[in-house]
Amino acid sequence: KVLRDTFERSKDFDPEAFFKYAFGVTVINGKPEKVVLEFENNELRYVLDAPLHPSQELIKEGKEWSQISMEVYVTHELVMTILSYGNRVKVIKPASLVSSIKEASV
């Protein structure tokens, strides 16, 4: 059935602000968290060339492993993305995300 209804976006809606901390398309009610991931340097090159999130920053460089941080909502999409890197990534913080990754890896 074809409807004649039209969509009008609220003038108060700011998509940039709404999705600022989103990882993927999921936006949750809650606070974003500082996520720190440690990548094997061979994998890190790809993560730096194609950042996981606009807030991503390189915070520590090492000989074999380096760390990035980003400010995001911890969502299922984030967990699935981290798991896709296998043993080439370690979650440093937050503790809740470390637990989620351990549970999903079993």
Side-chain angles (χ1 to χ4, degrees):
K1 179 178 178 181
V2 177
L3 302 177
R4 297 187 187 272
D5 296 344
T6 59
F7 172 78
E8 290 189 32
R9 183 171 67 174
S10 169
K11 291 177 175 79
D12 298 337
F13 181 69
D14 179 0
E16 259 186 60
F18 185 77
F19 289 105
K20 181 176 182 176
Y21 301 107
F23 191 90
V25 296
T26 304
V27 176
I28 60 173
N29 290 330
K31 289 186 170 186
E33 297 188 57
K34 182 175 182 175
V35 171
V36 177
L37 303 174
E38 187 170 75
F39 282 92
E40 188 178 69
N41 283 346
N42 286 335
E43 196 67 39
L44 179 74
R45 292 183 300 162
Y46 298 107
V47 174
L48 294 178
D49 285 344
L52 299 173
H53 190 264
S55 67
Q56 177 179 308
E57 293 180 28
L58 179 62
I59 59 171
K60 184 178 180 184
E61 290 185 78
K63 279 187 166 186
E64 295 180 26
W65 293 81
S66 297
Q67 293 180 358
I68 64 161
S69 71
M70 55 189 168
E71 192 86 11
V72 294
Y73 296 122
V74 176
T75 63
H76 180 71
E77 289 165 294
L78 176 62
V79 171
M80 292 296 105
T81 298
I82 292 169
L83 289 171
S84 75
Y85 288 98
N87 64 355
R88 297 174 313 276
V89 64
K90 297 175 190 170
V91 178
I92 306 302
K93 63 167 128 171
S96 61
L97 182 56
V98 172
S99 295
S100 294
I101 295 297
K102 283 181 181 177
E103 288 173 23
S105 298
V106 178

